[in-house]
Amino acid sequence: MTICDMINHAGFSFEELCKTTGIPASTLSDILSGKAELTHCQARTIQKLSHGIGLSMDELMELDSLARSVPEKNESGKLHKLCSPDIFRAFRGDLLDVLQHVDEETFIYAAAQNEFVESMYEAGLCAQALYSLGLIDYLCDKHGIPRLEQYNKYRGDTMEKTVFGYTGAECCLLDGIFFEDLIPQMLKFNFLETPGSLKDY
């Protein structure tokens, strides 16, 4: 989630934020558009912005760092939109339900054999495909299994906007509680999940 995403989700208008923080409109615009990284801003500006949106300076810097760590479209990759959040949430729930009833290594091997990710891409379900791939990569790394090379052609793709694995993730970010254990294999595709959120489904 970018700072701009967080501000939008919290319901702040640009004008309100300028007024409450006292940050000049041009400076705030550069920060929110990504033209100006927080690491290059004055400490006073960071302090004003963090106070204005209800985060500590450290949390704000971590949020900015997270946004920059999510890959932009690369030469071979594509950016995908989340067309239906409700359908995605239902898919996520069904997938995690399956994962709770089978061994994780069996899940990986089944994904390899039935071309699970490819079939979703072919059906136009790119968010579901990338979420599944992030989950499969996470489980492969967790169990010391080589990642499935057949899916390398999709590993440069990512979601255009941050997708929350569950609504509690968004609430925690808005409340200033920042996850330190985000799953990097899923973050690469711009999905926010933690090992706990996978088990707590």
Side-chain angles (χ1 to χ4, degrees):
M1 173 182 255
T2 65
I3 297 168
C4 191
D5 289 335
M6 184 171 183
I7 289 167
N8 289 336
H9 282 291
F12 292 108
S13 72
F14 181 80
E15 293 77 15
E16 287 172 335
L17 201 57
C18 281
K19 187 175 180 179
T20 57
T21 62
I23 298 172
S26 58
T27 303
L28 187 58
S29 177
D30 285 349
I31 292 170
L32 298 184
S33 68
K35 288 182 183 176
E37 292 182 11
L38 287 181
T39 52
H40 298 137
C41 292
Q42 294 180 357
R44 180 70 180 141
T45 301
I46 299 169
Q47 182 183 35
K48 287 178 179 180
L49 183 58
S50 64
H51 185 265
I53 61 176
L55 293 176
S56 72
M57 290 175 66
D58 286 343
E59 287 167 333
L60 184 63
M61 295 301 288
E62 194 170 0
L63 183 61
D64 186 56
S65 174
L66 168 63
R68 288 196 311 276
S69 72
V70 175
E72 297 295 327
K73 177 182 172 185
N74 66 26
E75 293 175 10
S76 62
K78 298 175 185 172
L79 291 174
H80 298 286
K81 293 183 178 180
L82 180 62
C83 297
S84 173
D86 291 337
I87 291 174
F88 172 76
R89 277 193 287 274
F91 167 82
R92 175 187 177 270
D94 291 343
L95 186 65
L96 295 183
D97 188 52
V98 168
L99 189 57
Q100 288 183 1
H101 291 91
V102 299
D103 178 75
E104 291 180 348
E105 294 183 30
T106 301
F107 180 87
I108 295 166
Y109 292 119
Q113 291 176 350
N114 65 20
E115 299 180 340
F116 185 53
V117 173
E118 288 169 337
S119 63
M120 283 186 287
Y121 258 100
E122 290 170 8
L125 303 171
C126 299
Q128 290 86 333
L130 289 179
Y131 182 88
S132 301
L133 181 54
L135 179 60
I136 292 164
D137 284 352
Y138 164 67
L139 294 174
C140 284
D141 293 350
K142 177 180 175 184
H143 292 284
I145 297 170
R147 291 186 181 183
L148 306 179
E149 292 184 12
Q150 69 202 64
Y151 296 141
N152 282 348
K153 59 188 168 186
Y154 305 120
R155 288 197 170 92
D157 290 9
T158 189
M159 297 303 294
E160 185 176 64
K161 293 187 178 180
T162 303
V163 179
F164 299 94
Y166 68 113
T167 54
E170 183 174 349
C171 293
C172 285
L173 281 173
L174 294 178
D175 289 340
I177 303 168
F178 196 82
F179 293 120
E180 293 182 358
D181 60 344
L182 289 169
I183 299 172
Q185 296 89 341
M186 300 187 84
L187 181 60
K188 177 184 186 299
F189 300 112
N190 214 354
F191 292 98
L192 264 62
E193 283 281 16
T194 67
S197 67
L198 296 179
K199 292 177 183 174
D200 292 342
Y201 162 70

